[in-house]
Amino acid sequence: MSRASKLTLAGTSVATVATVFFVHYGQQSEKAAMHAGVVRDMEQQRVKRERQADFEMQKELESEYKKVQTVHDGEGDGKAGAGG
């Protein structure tokens, strides 16, 4: 083999190995990014469920409190402005 053909073979081999490496690295980073998205979505769903449970608990407490006490919305209670 001539020197030029050896250099061409070496050059194309290095380029092929580099291409395979970079494609593999790109696939791995894309896979990691997709997995991070799934983890983030699961965390958001967990937080949403917690908030919904808190909301339901607050609604239940509100209904319990309304059963045992009278609730006024503050309008026309006769206390504001009556002084003097």
Side-chain angles (χ1 to χ4, degrees), residues 66 69-77 79:
K66 284 184 177 180
Q69 52 185 321
T70 307
V71 178
H72 298 287
D73 59 358
E75 294 179 13
D77 58 0
K79 294 179 183 176

Side-chain angles (χ1 to χ4, degrees), residues 39-55:
V39 170
R40 184 181 59 242
D41 288 347
M42 289 173 62
E43 177 65 18
Q44 288 176 345
Q45 289 175 358
R46 182 189 64 78
V47 168
K48 185 177 180 179
R49 283 191 304 269
E50 286 179 1
R51 288 181 179 163
Q52 185 65 32
D54 287 344
F55 176 74

Side-chain angles (χ1 to χ4, degrees), residues 15-61:
T16 301
V17 168
T19 301
V20 168
F21 173 76
F22 285 118
V23 167
H24 178 70
Y25 176 75
Q27 287 176 341
Q28 292 298 326
S29 62
E30 184 177 315
K31 182 180 177 182
M34 290 173 65
H35 180 68
V38 170
V39 170
R40 184 181 59 242
D41 288 347
M42 289 173 62
E43 177 65 18
Q44 288 176 345
Q45 289 175 358
R46 182 189 64 78
V47 168
K48 185 177 180 179
R49 283 191 304 269
E50 286 179 1
R51 288 181 179 163
Q52 185 65 32
D54 287 344
F55 176 74
E56 294 297 326
M57 184 176 66
Q58 289 296 324
K59 290 285 275 188
E60 290 174 17
L61 284 173

